[in-house]
Amino acid sequence: HVQLVESGGGSVQTGGSLRLSCVASGYDYSRLYMAWFRQRPGQEREAVAAIDNTGSATYTHSVAGRFTISKDNAKNTLFLQMNSLTVEDSAMYYCAADVVNLQMARWYTYWGQGTQVTVS
């Protein structure tokens, strides 16, 4: 059973940066496919970025060039470096994992509890 714990959210001004982290436990981390999702109030959860177990990354159009997803297999940790933040990036951000390569699909099996990002 995979457990995911996010951290790194907070409040930042427009144009600022944040780095989110997600620590995974309970499974061979190097075999997990992982992603970051976000959900704004009243809206559906959307995929932000995904990374496979070779390190290949995919981004939604609105964050491409500003966000970078990466993983440290030695530390069982997934990261999301977010630069040039705008108010539209304000949301609850969730880490997700699966043993299947789902990329940007929403059907991930394992989810973290979320970390709030507020840009003003």
Side-chain angles (χ1 to χ4, degrees):
H1 181 70
V2 178
Q3 294 183 318
L4 304 171
V5 179
E6 302 102 330
S7 62
S11 296
V12 65
Q13 292 186 335
T14 300
S17 299
L18 283 173
R19 188 175 81 155
L20 306 183
S21 300
C22 171
V23 178
S25 60
Y27 197 80
D28 181 354
Y29 183 77
S30 65
R31 296 176 61 188
L32 289 174
Y33 299 90
M34 303 194 72
W36 287 99
F37 286 73
R38 66 185 180 189
Q39 188 169 21
R40 303 181 184 91
Q43 297 188 21
E44 292 188 353
R45 194 171 297 187
E46 66 168 345
V48 174
I51 189 167
D52 68 17
N53 55 10
T54 71
S56 179
T58 305
Y59 299 91
T60 192
H61 178 73
S62 63
V63 308
R66 299 188 297 122
F67 290 11
T68 302
I69 188 172
S70 61
K71 57 187 304 194
D72 185 335
N73 288 342
K75 298 181 178 179
N76 289 3
T77 304
L78 178 73
F79 299 101
L80 185 68
Q81 177 66 44
M82 305 186 295
N83 298 329
S84 302
L85 286 162
T86 73
V87 293
E88 287 74 27
D89 295 317
S90 296
M92 183 71 78
Y93 283 72
Y94 297 90
C95 170
D98 208 289
V99 298
V100 176
N101 188 6
L102 296 173
Q103 296 192 28
M104 303 291 270
R106 65 182 66 183
W107 317 117
Y108 281 78
T109 302
Y110 305 103
W111 294 85
Q113 81 289 351
T115 186
Q116 179 68 40
V117 172
T118 303
V119 185
S120 60

